[in-house]
Amino acid sequence: MIDTKLLLDDFEGTARRLARKGVDPELVRQARDLAEARRHQVQGVDAARRERNEVSARIGSLMREKRAEEAEQARTQAAELGARLEEREAELRATESALEDVVMRLPNLPADDVPDGVSDADNVVRATFGYDPARYAGRDWQPHWEIGERLDILDAARAAKLSGAMFAVVQGAGARLLRGLTSMALDIHRDAYLEVIPPHVVRTEVITRTGHLTKFDTQAYRLRDDELWLIPTGEVALMGMHQGEILAEADLPRRYMAYTVCWRREAGAAGKETRGLQRLHEFHKVELVKLCRPEDSEAEFQSLVADAARPLELLGLPYRIVELCSGDLTFSASRVYDLEVYSPGVDRWLEVSSVSLVTDFQSRRGQIRFRREGGALDYVHALNGSGLATPRVWAAVVEHGLQPDGSVVLPEALVPYAGISTIGAGRA
RNA sequence: GGAGGGAUGGCAGAGCGGCCGAAUGCGAAGCUCUUGAAAAGCUUUGGGAUGCAAGUCCCCGUGGGUUCAAAUCCCACUCCCUCCGCCA
């Protein structure tokens, strides 16, 4: 949620910045008008309430002085004032809920230096590491689902039997590979991030206030008999932990990581680009989250990008850093860098981490604040990114490790974690 | 799942339906005193809305209700504690 003060104080500038994200200025104007109306109505309600309170207070003192008749008169007057007050309150409530409806549809403001653009075609590749096209020429590369089925570490048919499309059964050496990846990622970050094992189901309030559930979002799975939701990412649980809290400035930055299962409905997403482990309803991920002071958030963002890239470095996977253009930014982000791993089997760059700077957008909604040394309260800035998203990294490791003899050699860094160095050579 | 008890300011803990945004204690900050410190004394010490400001309004777990007036009464919900049941 953006600060509604921005709408009143700098309507033009705010509308302009939101327009870079593709927001219709008319919507911004609507929000501004409602915010203004609310401001006036608040004043009216407060004045009406004051009148009523004054008469009420007089009734109190009249009663104490046993001036029953006058008290009775005042009571009639207060009742009238009360009735009028209620009308105004109802009006204000209507305005406030209309305002909230509109403001909730406004995304976070993009950072000023985010490149202009309307779609992913306008995203900018900032850097590419370890990618040598020559390496992929003149050799047969297979998609991970073919390798996986052949080596019996991936079973799409049984996954479909159990749960339907876009679910996976990973087994044997494949399961060890997955487990090893997550262990490795957690180990890499354990000095800088506090490891958390949170609940995987959260209240409606938590998922709503982290911005992952709006009326327009059908991404999350909901439990039928309880007011609970399966988390679509560990970020929901990690961010939710501090909802409504006031942190000490000395406690910032907070850096958390969590290995969780993530569930996403991905409504209507089935298709050719979802084969194998490219996109799943359920997957495993190590998530990194930071809360920090506003003045530190750009630096924390840069280091978060570096942190997210470290597993890819260690695994020796070619990857690139893509900065999302204004129009492709996610709803709550002001800046996003995607990390994409090259997948030789499908000849595509697959997003394996999306590092977002969400500034105060979530913390305003979730009321996560901190007290500065001087005593002033301020909203924390929040950042998040995948520390390692297993399915796609799993896929990249399998595809890159493919040997001419059909076996898969694991990256050296992973061997201690997976407990094996090769899949399919002799034993699966 | 069943039976009870509870939820108030950073913490502890009072609070006859009106004079309670809230006693008191602790903690914290400032000042006085002091060479310095301790002790002592004085002062300050929640959040939000609105306003240039003075001020006004709202918030005592959450949401409703009763009333001229609710921290105080009623209802629902949530969470915490104790006991019983069940259970990895």
Side-chain angles (χ1 to χ4, degrees):
Chain A
M1 191 169 76
I2 64 169
D3 187 353
T4 51
K5 278 206 187 81
L6 285 173
L7 297 167
L8 296 167
D9 296 346
D10 181 19
F11 168 68
E12 291 297 332
T14 305
R16 206 176 322 118
R17 293 177 72 188
L18 286 173
R20 297 184 65 215
K21 255 191 168 181
V23 177
D24 182 357
E26 182 49 37
L27 188 65
V28 188
R29 183 168 301 109
Q30 252 181 53
R32 194 266 316 264
D33 291 348
L34 285 165
E36 240 158 35
R38 190 198 79 95
R39 181 177 277 189
H40 288 127
Q41 289 172 9
V42 162
Q43 289 171 34
V45 165
D46 281 0
R49 193 134 46 194
R50 176 188 185 179
E51 249 188 294
R52 202 269 329 262
N53 287 351
E54 280 168 358
V55 176
S56 283
R58 205 163 68 235
I59 294 172
S61 48
L62 288 171
M63 303 271 283
R64 253 171 276 127
E65 294 165 26
K66 306 263 195 284
R67 292 153 72 178
E69 212 161 297
E70 289 165 80
E72 198 47 49
Q73 261 177 23
R75 186 171 299 185
T76 316
Q77 191 193 354
E80 279 167 27
L81 290 172
R84 228 175 303 157
L85 172 62
E86 262 177 65
E87 284 171 32
R88 289 182 166 225
E89 281 175 336
E91 219 175 275
L92 174 61
R93 270 198 303 274
T95 303
E96 283 186 328
S97 86
L99 174 63
E100 179 168 321
D101 280 352
V102 175
V103 170
M104 286 310 201
R105 284 153 61 195
L106 298 178
N108 197 3
L109 302 165
D112 286 333
D113 56 347
V114 164
D116 269 315
V118 294
S119 75
D120 58 358
D122 302 313
N123 293 344
V124 179
V125 176
R126 287 292 178 212
T128 304
F129 302 91
Y131 177 63
D132 175 14
R135 176 179 165 197
Y136 301 103
R139 233 192 91 179
D140 268 350
W141 296 88
Q142 295 170 12
H144 63 274
W145 58 86
E146 287 179 12
I147 304 171
E149 297 284 343
R150 196 185 67 242
L151 297 179
D152 202 25
I153 55 176
L154 197 60
D155 189 338
R158 293 209 174 87
K161 176 158 75 179
L162 286 171
S163 311
M166 288 205 276
F167 285 91
V169 167
V170 176
Q171 58 190 13
R176 299 184 71 164
L177 168 56
L178 192 155
R179 198 151 45 83
L181 285 169
T182 60
S183 294
M184 188 188 82
L186 290 168
D187 263 9
I188 288 174
H189 299 302
R190 69 180 178 191
D191 292 330
Y193 295 80
L194 180 69
E195 182 175 352
V196 175
I197 301 179
H200 288 59
V201 290
V202 298
R203 301 166 180 280
T204 301
E205 196 193 351
V206 170
I207 192 168
T208 303
R209 294 216 285 177
T210 48
H212 285 269
L213 186 69
T214 67
K215 293 165 197 173
F216 323 98
D217 195 341
T218 50
Q219 181 74 278
Y221 287 100
R222 177 186 204 159
L223 272 56
R224 197 193 61 189
D225 293 328
D226 298 279
E227 264 303 304
L228 294 169
W229 301 74
L230 295 177
I231 55 173
T233 160
E235 174 208 336
V236 171
L238 291 175
M239 281 294 296
M241 291 202 301
H242 289 299
Q243 272 183 15
E245 293 185 7
I246 296 174
L247 304 168
E249 183 169 11
D251 286 344
L252 298 178
R254 307 289 285 231
R255 302 191 183 96
Y256 295 108
M257 62 177 171
Y259 162 56
T260 70
V261 183
C262 306
W263 291 273
R264 300 182 181 180
R265 297 188 59 234
E266 304 288 0
K272 40 235 146 254
E273 297 193 347
T274 65
R275 278 199 76 175
L277 305 184
Q278 293 180 84
R279 185 177 286 193
L280 297 170
H281 285 308
E282 175 180 326
F283 61 99
H284 301 237
K285 179 159 70 69
V286 173
E287 178 77 358
L288 304 175
V289 162
K290 293 180 176 184
L291 301 177
C292 70
R293 301 185 303 174
E295 58 267 40
D296 299 330
S297 64
E298 281 291 347
E300 291 289 347
F301 178 79
Q302 296 303 329
S303 72
L304 184 51
V305 172
D307 290 341
R310 279 181 63 200
L312 307 178
E313 296 275 356
L314 281 174
L315 293 169
L317 298 172
Y319 70 97
R320 64 183 190 183
I321 298 178
V322 178
E323 174 162 21
L324 301 200
C325 71
S326 59
D328 201 33
L329 286 177
T330 46
F331 189 75
S332 56
S334 76
R335 182 194 301 288
V336 171
Y337 281 8
D338 277 354
L339 298 186
E340 299 181 338
V341 160
Y342 180 69
S343 159
V346 293
D347 190 26
R348 288 177 61 213
W349 292 87
L350 299 180
E351 178 192 323
V352 293
S353 181
S354 189
V355 181
S356 304
L357 171 59
V358 295
T359 61
D360 59 358
F361 195 77
Q362 281 176 322
S363 55
R364 174 167 292 106
R365 187 91 192 273
Q367 290 293 301
I368 306 176
R369 293 173 291 177
F370 73 102
R371 194 178 298 282
R372 290 184 181 278
E373 297 305 339
L377 283 180
D378 209 346
Y379 290 103
V380 303
H381 274 199
L383 304 94
N384 65 77
S386 309
L388 194 139
T390 54
R392 289 177 186 169
V393 174
W394 189 100
V397 166
V398 167
E399 290 179 10
H400 275 94
L402 181 63
Q403 303 299 303
D405 69 357
S407 66
V408 168
V409 172
L410 301 187
E412 212 171 305
L414 192 56
V415 172
Y417 291 100
I420 47 176
S421 56
T422 313
I423 303 176
R427 49 181 272 222

